[in-house]
Amino acid sequence: MNAPDGNIVKAEKIIQIFKTKNIKHGLKSDLYHACRCNLFPTAKDFYSALDTLAEYGYIAYENVTAANNKKAQMVHVNPHI
């Protein structure tokens, strides 16, 4: 048997946190702070796992304008999970 990819394990942890905290949407950076744990030592690790979730349809990105007219990405969680 093949061992699960590290990114898949991290993505599953994110889904678990979303369910536990009842997160339906949020800015990418805010979600990083909400999901902080030892599994994500850097933001890059977290964002990589988020990209995996987007690839499989668990989340969707939306480009928005945040405070001070800065570009940001809103993350919408699939309501079926």
Side-chain angles (χ1 to χ4, degrees):
M1 292 196 94
N2 291 338
D5 182 22
N7 229 14
I8 299 294
V9 172
K10 291 177 182 179
E12 289 174 349
K13 178 66 175 177
I14 291 173
I15 291 173
Q16 182 183 24
I17 293 171
F18 284 173
K19 286 180 180 179
T20 302
K21 295 185 177 183
N22 199 25
I23 296 173
K24 302 295 181 196
H25 56 80
L27 292 177
K28 210 173 175 183
S29 57
D30 293 339
L31 293 179
Y32 170 63
H33 292 290
C35 296
R36 241 177 176 176
C37 67
N38 292 337
L39 199 55
F40 310 112
T42 65
K44 184 179 177 181
D45 293 327
F46 179 76
Y47 296 150
S48 175
L50 269 185
D51 291 340
T52 300
L53 288 175
E55 184 179 323
Y56 286 101
Y58 288 97
I59 63 167
Y61 293 125
E62 175 187 8
N63 292 324
V64 296
T65 303
N68 297 331
N69 289 328
K70 291 183 178 180
K71 302 286 185 201
Q73 283 190 316
M74 178 70 75
V75 177
H76 297 280
V77 180
N78 188 333
H80 298 291
I81 59 168

Coordinates of all heavy atoms in Angstrom, one line a residue:
M1 N 0.8 -1.2 0.0 CA 0.0 0.0 0.0 C 0.9 1.2 0.0 O 1.9 1.3 0.6 CB -0.9 0.0 1.2 CG -1.9 -1.0 1.3 SD -3.2 -0.6 2.5 CE -4.3 0.2 1.5
N2 N 0.4 2.2 -0.6 CA 1.1 3.5 -0.7 C 0.7 4.4 0.6 O -0.4 4.4 1.0 CB 0.8 4.3 -1.9 CG 1.3 3.6 -3.2 OD1 2.3 2.9 -3.1 ND2 0.7 3.9 -4.3
A3 N 1.7 5.0 1.1 CA 1.4 5.9 2.2 C 0.7 7.2 1.6 O 1.0 7.6 0.5 CB 2.7 6.3 2.9
P4 N -0.2 7.8 2.4 CA -0.9 9.0 1.9 C 0.1 10.1 1.7 O 1.0 10.3 2.5 CB -2.0 9.3 2.9 CG -1.7 8.5 4.1 CD -0.7 7.4 3.7
D5 N -0.1 10.9 0.7 CA 0.7 12.1 0.4 C 0.5 13.1 1.6 O -0.5 13.2 2.2 CB 0.2 12.8 -0.8 CG 1.0 14.0 -1.2 OD1 2.2 14.1 -0.8 OD2 0.5 14.8 -2.0
G6 N 1.6 13.7 2.0 CA 1.6 14.6 3.2 C 0.6 15.8 3.0 O 0.0 16.2 3.9
N7 N 0.5 16.2 1.7 CA -0.4 17.3 1.4 C -1.9 16.9 1.6 O -2.7 17.6 2.1 CB -0.2 17.8 0.0 CG -0.1 19.3 -0.1 OD1 0.1 20.0 0.9 ND2 -0.2 19.8 -1.3
I8 N -2.2 15.6 1.3 CA -3.5 15.1 1.5 C -3.9 15.0 3.0 O -5.0 15.4 3.4 CB -3.7 13.7 0.9 CG1 -3.4 13.7 -0.6 CG2 -5.0 13.1 1.2 CD1 -4.4 14.5 -1.5
V9 N -2.9 14.6 3.8 CA -3.1 14.5 5.2 C -3.4 15.9 5.8 O -4.3 16.1 6.6 CB -1.9 13.9 5.9 CG1 -2.0 14.0 7.4 CG2 -1.8 12.4 5.5
K10 N -2.6 16.9 5.3 CA -2.8 18.3 5.8 C -4.2 18.8 5.3 O -4.9 19.5 6.1 CB -1.7 19.2 5.2 CG -0.4 18.9 5.9 CD 0.7 19.7 5.2 CE 2.1 19.3 5.8 NZ 3.2 20.1 5.3
A11 N -4.6 18.5 4.1 CA -5.9 18.9 3.6 C -7.0 18.3 4.4 O -8.0 19.0 4.7 CB -6.0 18.5 2.1
E12 N -6.9 17.0 4.8 CA -7.9 16.4 5.6 C -8.0 17.1 7.0 O -9.1 17.3 7.5 CB -7.6 14.9 5.8 CG -7.8 14.1 4.5 CD -7.4 12.7 4.6 OE1 -6.7 12.3 5.6 OE2 -7.7 11.9 3.7
K13 N -6.8 17.5 7.5 CA -6.8 18.2 8.8 C -7.6 19.6 8.7 O -8.3 20.0 9.6 CB -5.4 18.4 9.3 CG -5.2 19.2 10.5 CD -5.8 18.4 11.7 CE -5.5 19.2 13.0 NZ -6.2 18.5 14.2
I14 N -7.4 20.3 7.6 CA -8.0 21.5 7.3 C -9.6 21.3 7.3 O -10.3 22.0 7.9 CB -7.6 22.2 6.0 CG1 -6.1 22.7 6.2 CG2 -8.5 23.4 5.7 CD1 -5.5 23.2 4.9
I15 N -10.0 20.3 6.6 CA -11.4 20.0 6.5 C -12.0 19.7 7.9 O -13.0 20.2 8.3 CB -11.7 18.8 5.6 CG1 -11.4 19.2 4.1 CG2 -13.2 18.3 5.7 CD1 -11.5 18.0 3.2
Q16 N -11.2 18.9 8.7 CA -11.6 18.6 10.1 C -11.8 19.9 10.9 O -12.7 20.1 11.6 CB -10.6 17.7 10.7 CG -11.0 17.3 12.1 CD -9.9 16.4 12.7 OE1 -8.7 16.4 12.3 NE2 -10.2 15.6 13.7
I17 N -10.8 20.8 10.8 CA -10.9 22.1 11.5 C -12.1 22.9 11.0 O -12.8 23.5 11.8 CB -9.6 22.9 11.3 CG1 -8.4 22.1 12.1 CG2 -9.7 24.3 11.9 CD1 -7.0 22.7 11.8
F18 N -12.3 23.0 9.7 CA -13.5 23.7 9.2 C -14.8 23.2 9.8 O -15.6 24.0 10.1 CB -13.5 23.6 7.6 CG -12.5 24.5 6.9 CD1 -12.4 24.4 5.5 CD2 -11.7 25.4 7.5 CE1 -11.5 25.1 4.8 CE2 -10.8 26.2 6.9 CZ -10.7 26.0 5.5
K19 N -14.9 21.9 9.8 CA -16.1 21.3 10.4 C -16.2 21.6 11.9 O -17.3 22.0 12.4 CB -16.1 19.8 10.2 CG -16.4 19.3 8.8 CD -16.4 17.8 8.7 CE -16.6 17.4 7.3 NZ -16.6 15.9 7.1
T20 N -15.1 21.5 12.6 CA -15.1 21.7 14.1 C -15.5 23.1 14.4 O -16.3 23.4 15.3 CB -13.8 21.3 14.7 OG1 -13.5 20.0 14.4 CG2 -13.8 21.5 16.2
K21 N -14.9 24.1 13.7 CA -15.1 25.5 13.9 C -16.3 26.1 13.1 O -16.5 27.3 13.2 CB -13.8 26.3 13.7 CG -12.7 25.9 14.6 CD -11.5 26.8 14.4 CE -10.4 26.4 15.4 NZ -9.3 27.3 15.3
N22 N -16.9 25.2 12.3 CA -18.1 25.6 11.5 C -17.7 26.8 10.6 O -18.4 27.8 10.5 CB -19.3 26.0 12.4 CG -20.6 25.9 11.6 OD1 -20.7 25.3 10.6 ND2 -21.6 26.7 12.1
I23 N -16.6 26.7 9.9 CA -16.1 27.8 9.0 C -16.7 27.5 7.6 O -16.6 26.4 7.0 CB -14.6 27.8 8.9 CG1 -14.0 28.1 10.3 CG2 -14.1 28.7 7.9 CD1 -12.5 28.0 10.4
K24 N -17.4 28.5 7.1 CA -18.0 28.4 5.8 C -17.3 29.2 4.7 O -17.4 28.9 3.5 CB -19.5 28.9 5.8 CG -20.4 28.1 6.8 CD -20.5 26.7 6.4 CE -21.4 25.9 7.3 NZ -21.2 24.5 7.2
H25 N -16.7 30.3 5.2 CA -15.9 31.2 4.2 C -15.0 32.1 5.1 O -15.2 32.2 6.3 CB -16.8 32.0 3.3 CG -17.8 32.8 4.1 ND1 -17.4 34.0 4.6 CD2 -19.1 32.7 4.4 CE1 -18.5 34.6 5.2 NE2 -19.5 33.7 5.1
G26 N -14.0 32.7 4.4 CA -13.1 33.6 5.1 C -11.9 33.9 4.2 O -11.7 33.2 3.2
L27 N -11.3 35.0 4.5 CA -10.1 35.4 3.8 C -9.0 34.3 4.0 O -8.9 33.7 5.1 CB -9.6 36.7 4.2 CG -10.4 37.9 3.8 CD1 -9.9 39.2 4.4 CD2 -10.6 38.0 2.3
K28 N -8.2 34.1 3.0 CA -7.1 33.1 3.0 C -6.2 33.3 4.3 O -5.9 32.3 5.0 CB -6.3 33.1 1.7 CG -5.7 31.9 1.3 CD -5.1 32.1 -0.1 CE -4.4 30.9 -0.6 NZ -3.7 31.2 -1.9
S29 N -5.8 34.5 4.5 CA -4.9 34.7 5.6 C -5.6 34.5 7.0 O -5.0 34.0 7.9 CB -4.4 36.2 5.5 OG -5.4 37.1 5.5
D30 N -6.9 34.9 7.1 CA -7.6 34.7 8.3 C -7.8 33.2 8.6 O -7.7 32.7 9.7 CB -9.0 35.3 8.2 CG -8.9 36.8 8.2 OD1 -7.9 37.4 8.6 OD2 -9.9 37.5 7.7
L31 N -8.0 32.4 7.5 CA -8.2 30.9 7.7 C -6.8 30.3 8.2 O -6.9 29.4 9.0 CB -8.6 30.3 6.4 CG -10.0 30.6 6.0 CD1 -10.4 29.9 4.7 CD2 -11.1 30.3 7.1
Y32 N -5.7 30.9 7.7 CA -4.4 30.4 8.1 C -4.3 30.5 9.7 O -3.9 29.6 10.4 CB -3.3 31.1 7.4 CG -1.9 30.8 8.0 CD1 -1.4 29.5 8.0 CD2 -1.2 31.8 8.6 CE1 -0.2 29.2 8.5 CE2 0.1 31.5 9.1 CZ 0.6 30.2 9.1 OH 1.8 29.9 9.7
H33 N -4.7 31.7 10.2 CA -4.6 31.9 11.6 C -5.6 31.1 12.4 O -5.3 30.6 13.5 CB -4.8 33.4 11.9 CG -3.7 34.3 11.4 ND1 -2.5 34.2 12.0 CD2 -3.6 35.1 10.4 CE1 -1.7 35.1 11.3 NE2 -2.4 35.6 10.3
A34 N -6.8 30.8 11.8 CA -7.8 30.0 12.5 C -7.4 28.5 12.5 O -7.7 27.8 13.4 CB -9.1 30.1 11.8
C35 N -6.6 28.1 11.5 CA -6.2 26.6 11.4 C -4.8 26.4 11.9 O -4.2 25.3 11.6 CB -6.3 26.2 10.0 SG -8.0 26.2 9.4
R36 N -4.1 27.3 12.5 CA -2.8 27.2 13.0 C -2.6 26.0 13.9 O -3.3 25.8 14.8 CB -2.3 28.4 13.7 CG -1.2 29.1 13.0 CD -0.8 30.3 13.6 NE 0.4 30.7 12.9 CZ 1.0 31.8 13.1 NH1 0.6 32.6 14.1 NH2 2.1 32.2 12.4
C37 N -1.6 25.2 13.5 CA -1.2 24.0 14.4 C 0.2 23.6 14.0 O 0.8 24.1 13.0 CB -2.2 22.9 14.3 SG -2.3 22.1 12.7
N38 N 0.7 22.6 14.6 CA 2.1 22.1 14.3 C 2.2 21.5 12.9 O 3.3 21.4 12.4 CB 2.5 21.0 15.3 CG 2.7 21.6 16.7 OD1 2.9 22.8 16.8 ND2 2.5 20.8 17.7
L39 N 1.1 21.1 12.3 CA 1.1 20.5 11.0 C 1.4 21.6 9.9 O 1.9 21.2 8.9 CB -0.3 19.9 10.7 CG -0.4 18.9 9.6 CD1 0.5 17.7 9.8 CD2 -1.8 18.4 9.6
F40 N 1.2 22.8 10.2 CA 1.5 23.9 9.3 C 2.5 24.9 9.9 O 2.1 25.9 10.4 CB 0.2 24.7 8.9 CG -1.0 23.8 8.5 CD1 -2.1 23.7 9.4 CD2 -0.9 23.1 7.4 CE1 -3.1 22.9 9.0 CE2 -2.0 22.3 7.0 CZ -3.1 22.2 7.8
P41 N 3.8 24.6 9.8 CA 4.8 25.4 10.4 C 4.9 26.8 9.7 O 5.3 27.8 10.2 CB 6.1 24.7 10.3 CG 5.8 23.6 9.3 CD 4.4 23.4 9.2
T42 N 4.5 26.8 8.4 CA 4.6 28.1 7.6 C 3.3 28.2 6.8 O 2.5 27.3 6.6 CB 5.7 28.1 6.6 OG1 5.5 27.0 5.6 CG2 7.1 27.8 7.2
A43 N 3.0 29.5 6.4 CA 1.8 29.8 5.6 C 1.9 29.0 4.3 O 0.9 28.6 3.8 CB 1.7 31.3 5.4
K44 N 3.1 28.9 3.8 CA 3.2 28.2 2.5 C 2.7 26.7 2.6 O 2.0 26.3 1.6 CB 4.7 28.2 2.1 CG 5.0 27.6 0.7 CD 6.4 27.6 0.4 CE 6.7 26.9 -1.0 NZ 8.1 26.9 -1.3
D45 N 3.0 26.0 3.7 CA 2.4 24.7 3.8 C 0.9 24.7 3.9 O 0.3 23.8 3.3 CB 3.0 24.1 5.2 CG 4.5 23.8 5.1 OD1 5.0 23.5 4.1 OD2 5.1 24.0 6.2
F46 N 0.3 25.7 4.6 CA -1.1 25.8 4.7 C -1.7 26.1 3.3 O -2.7 25.4 2.9 CB -1.5 26.8 5.7 CG -3.0 27.0 5.8 CD1 -3.8 26.1 6.5 CD2 -3.6 28.1 5.3 CE1 -5.1 26.3 6.6 CE2 -5.0 28.3 5.4 CZ -5.7 27.3 6.1
Y47 N -1.2 27.0 2.6 CA -1.7 27.4 1.3 C -1.6 26.3 0.3 O -2.4 26.1 -0.6 CB -1.0 28.7 0.8 CG -1.3 29.9 1.6 CD1 -0.4 30.9 1.7 CD2 -2.5 30.0 2.4 CE1 -0.6 32.0 2.5 CE2 -2.7 31.1 3.2 CZ -1.8 32.1 3.3 OH -2.0 33.2 4.0
S48 N -0.5 25.5 0.4 CA -0.4 24.3 -0.5 C -1.5 23.3 -0.3 O -2.1 22.8 -1.2 CB 1.0 23.7 -0.3 OG 1.1 22.5 -1.0
A49 N -1.8 23.1 1.0 CA -2.9 22.2 1.3 C -4.2 22.7 0.9 O -5.1 22.0 0.4 CB -2.9 21.9 2.8
L50 N -4.4 24.1 1.0 CA -5.7 24.7 0.5 C -5.8 24.5 -1.0 O -6.9 24.3 -1.5 CB -5.7 26.2 0.8 CG -6.3 26.6 2.1 CD1 -6.3 28.2 2.2 CD2 -7.6 26.1 2.4
D51 N -4.7 24.6 -1.7 CA -4.7 24.4 -3.2 C -5.1 23.0 -3.5 O -5.8 22.8 -4.5 CB -3.4 24.8 -3.8 CG -3.0 26.3 -3.8 OD1 -4.0 27.1 -3.6 OD2 -1.8 26.6 -3.9
T52 N -4.7 22.1 -2.7 CA -5.1 20.7 -2.9 C -6.6 20.5 -2.8 O -7.3 19.9 -3.5 CB -4.4 19.7 -2.0 OG1 -3.0 19.9 -2.2 CG2 -4.8 18.3 -2.2
L53 N -7.2 21.2 -1.7 CA -8.6 21.2 -1.5 C -9.4 21.8 -2.7 O -10.4 21.3 -3.1 CB -9.0 21.9 -0.2 CG -8.6 21.2 1.1 CD1 -8.9 22.0 2.3 CD2 -9.3 19.9 1.2
A54 N -8.8 22.9 -3.2 CA -9.5 23.6 -4.3 C -9.4 22.7 -5.6 O -10.4 22.6 -6.3 CB -8.8 24.9 -4.6
E55 N -8.4 22.0 -5.8 CA -8.2 21.0 -6.9 C -9.3 19.9 -6.9 O -9.8 19.5 -7.9 CB -6.8 20.4 -6.8 CG -6.5 19.5 -8.0 CD -5.1 19.0 -7.9 OE1 -4.2 19.7 -7.4 OE2 -4.9 17.8 -8.2
Y56 N -9.6 19.5 -5.7 CA -10.6 18.4 -5.5 C -12.1 18.9 -5.3 O -13.0 18.2 -5.1 CB -10.3 17.5 -4.4 CG -9.1 16.6 -4.7 CD1 -7.8 16.9 -4.3 CD2 -9.3 15.5 -5.5 CE1 -6.7 16.1 -4.6 CE2 -8.2 14.7 -5.8 CZ -6.9 15.0 -5.4 OH -5.9 14.1 -5.7
G57 N -12.2 20.3 -5.3 CA -13.6 20.8 -5.2 C -14.1 21.0 -3.9 O -15.3 21.3 -3.7
Y58 N -13.3 20.9 -2.8 CA -13.8 21.1 -1.5 C -13.9 22.6 -1.1 O -14.7 23.0 -0.2 CB -12.8 20.5 -0.4 CG -13.0 19.0 -0.5 CD1 -12.1 18.2 -1.2 CD2 -14.0 18.3 0.2 CE1 -12.2 16.8 -1.2 CE2 -14.1 17.0 0.2 CZ -13.2 16.2 -0.5 OH -13.3 14.8 -0.5
I59 N -13.1 23.5 -1.8 CA -13.2 24.9 -1.6 C -13.1 25.6 -2.9 O -12.8 25.0 -3.9 CB -12.1 25.4 -0.7 CG1 -10.7 25.2 -1.3 CG2 -12.1 24.8 0.7 CD1 -9.6 26.0 -0.6
A60 N -13.5 26.9 -2.9 CA -13.4 27.7 -4.1 C -12.8 29.1 -3.7 O -13.1 29.6 -2.6 CB -14.7 27.9 -4.8
Y61 N -12.0 29.6 -4.6 CA -11.4 30.9 -4.4 C -12.2 32.0 -5.1 O -12.7 31.8 -6.2 CB -9.9 31.0 -4.9 CG -9.0 30.1 -4.1 CD1 -8.2 29.2 -4.8 CD2 -8.8 30.2 -2.8 CE1 -7.3 28.4 -4.2 CE2 -7.9 29.4 -2.1 CZ -7.1 28.5 -2.8 OH -6.2 27.7 -2.1
E62 N -12.2 33.2 -4.5 CA -12.8 34.4 -5.1 C -11.9 35.5 -4.8 O -11.5 35.8 -3.7 CB -14.2 34.6 -4.5 CG -14.8 35.9 -5.0 CD -16.1 36.2 -4.3 OE1 -16.4 35.6 -3.3 OE2 -16.7 37.2 -4.8
N63 N -11.5 36.2 -5.9 CA -10.6 37.4 -5.7 C -11.5 38.6 -5.2 O -12.5 38.9 -5.8 CB -9.9 37.8 -7.0 CG -8.9 36.8 -7.4 OD1 -8.2 36.2 -6.5 ND2 -8.7 36.5 -8.6
V64 N -11.1 39.2 -4.1 CA -11.8 40.3 -3.5 C -10.9 41.5 -3.2 O -9.6 41.3 -3.2 CB -12.6 39.9 -2.3 CG1 -13.7 38.9 -2.6 CG2 -11.7 39.4 -1.2
T65 N -11.4 42.6 -2.9 CA -10.6 43.7 -2.4 C -10.8 43.8 -0.9 O -11.9 44.0 -0.4 CB -11.1 45.0 -3.1 OG1 -11.0 44.9 -4.5 CG2 -10.2 46.2 -2.7
A66 N -9.7 43.7 -0.2 CA -9.8 43.8 1.2 C -9.5 45.2 1.7 O -9.5 46.1 0.9 CB -8.8 42.8 1.8
A67 N -9.1 45.3 3.0 CA -8.8 46.6 3.6 C -7.7 47.3 2.8 O -6.8 46.7 2.3 CB -8.4 46.5 5.0
N68 N -7.8 48.6 2.7 CA -6.9 49.5 2.1 C -6.7 49.2 0.6 O -5.6 49.3 0.0 CB -5.5 49.4 2.8 CG -5.5 49.9 4.2 OD1 -6.4 50.8 4.5 ND2 -4.7 49.4 5.0
N69 N -7.8 48.7 0.0 CA -7.8 48.3 -1.5 C -6.7 47.3 -1.8 O -6.2 47.3 -3.0 CB -7.6 49.6 -2.3 CG -8.9 50.5 -2.3 OD1 -10.0 49.9 -2.1 ND2 -8.7 51.8 -2.4
K70 N -6.4 46.4 -0.9 CA -5.4 45.4 -1.2 C -6.2 44.2 -1.8 O -7.3 43.9 -1.4 CB -4.7 44.9 0.0 CG -3.7 46.0 0.6 CD -3.0 45.4 1.7 CE -2.0 46.5 2.2 NZ -1.2 46.0 3.4
K71 N -5.5 43.5 -2.7 CA -6.1 42.3 -3.3 C -6.0 41.1 -2.3 O -5.0 41.0 -1.6 CB -5.4 41.9 -4.6 CG -5.4 43.0 -5.6 CD -6.8 43.1 -6.3 CE -6.7 44.1 -7.4 NZ -8.0 44.6 -7.8
A72 N -7.0 40.3 -2.2 CA -7.0 39.2 -1.3 C -7.9 38.1 -1.9 O -8.6 38.3 -2.9 CB -7.6 39.6 0.1
Q73 N -7.8 36.9 -1.4 CA -8.6 35.8 -1.8 C -9.5 35.3 -0.8 O -9.1 35.0 0.4 CB -7.7 34.6 -2.3 CG -7.1 34.8 -3.6 CD -6.4 33.6 -4.1 OE1 -5.7 32.9 -3.4 NE2 -6.6 33.3 -5.4
M74 N -10.8 35.3 -1.1 CA -11.8 34.8 -0.2 C -12.0 33.3 -0.5 O -12.0 32.9 -1.7 CB -13.2 35.5 -0.5 CG -14.3 35.0 0.4 SD -14.2 35.4 2.1 CE -14.6 37.1 2.1
V75 N -12.0 32.5 0.5 CA -12.2 31.0 0.4 C -13.6 30.7 0.8 O -14.1 31.0 1.9 CB -11.2 30.3 1.3 CG1 -11.4 28.8 1.2 CG2 -9.7 30.7 0.9
H76 N -14.3 30.0 -0.1 CA -15.6 29.5 0.1 C -15.6 28.0 0.3 O -15.1 27.3 -0.6 CB -16.6 29.9 -1.0 CG -16.7 31.4 -1.1 ND1 -17.6 32.1 -0.3 CD2 -16.2 32.2 -2.0 CE1 -17.5 33.4 -0.7 NE2 -16.6 33.5 -1.7
V77 N -16.1 27.5 1.4 CA -16.1 26.0 1.6 C -17.3 25.4 1.0 O -18.4 26.0 1.1 CB -16.1 25.8 3.2 CG1 -16.1 24.3 3.4 CG2 -14.9 26.4 3.8
N78 N -17.1 24.3 0.3 CA -18.2 23.6 -0.3 C -19.3 23.2 0.8 O -18.9 22.6 1.8 CB -17.7 22.3 -1.0 CG -18.7 21.6 -1.8 OD1 -19.9 21.7 -1.5 ND2 -18.3 20.9 -2.8
P79 N -20.5 23.6 0.7 CA -21.5 23.3 1.7 C -21.8 21.8 1.9 O -22.4 21.4 2.9 CB -22.7 24.1 1.3 CG -22.6 24.3 -0.2 CD -21.1 24.3 -0.4
H80 N -21.4 21.0 1.0 CA -21.7 19.5 1.1 C -20.7 18.7 1.9 O -20.8 17.5 1.9 CB -21.8 18.9 -0.4 CG -22.9 19.5 -1.1 ND1 -24.2 19.3 -0.9 CD2 -22.9 20.4 -2.2 CE1 -25.0 20.0 -1.7 NE2 -24.2 20.7 -2.6
I81 N -19.7 19.4 2.5 CA -18.8 18.7 3.4 C -19.1 19.0 4.9 O -19.8 19.8 5.2 CB -17.3 19.0 3.1 CG1 -17.0 20.5 3.3 CG2 -17.0 18.5 1.7 CD1 -15.5 20.8 3.3

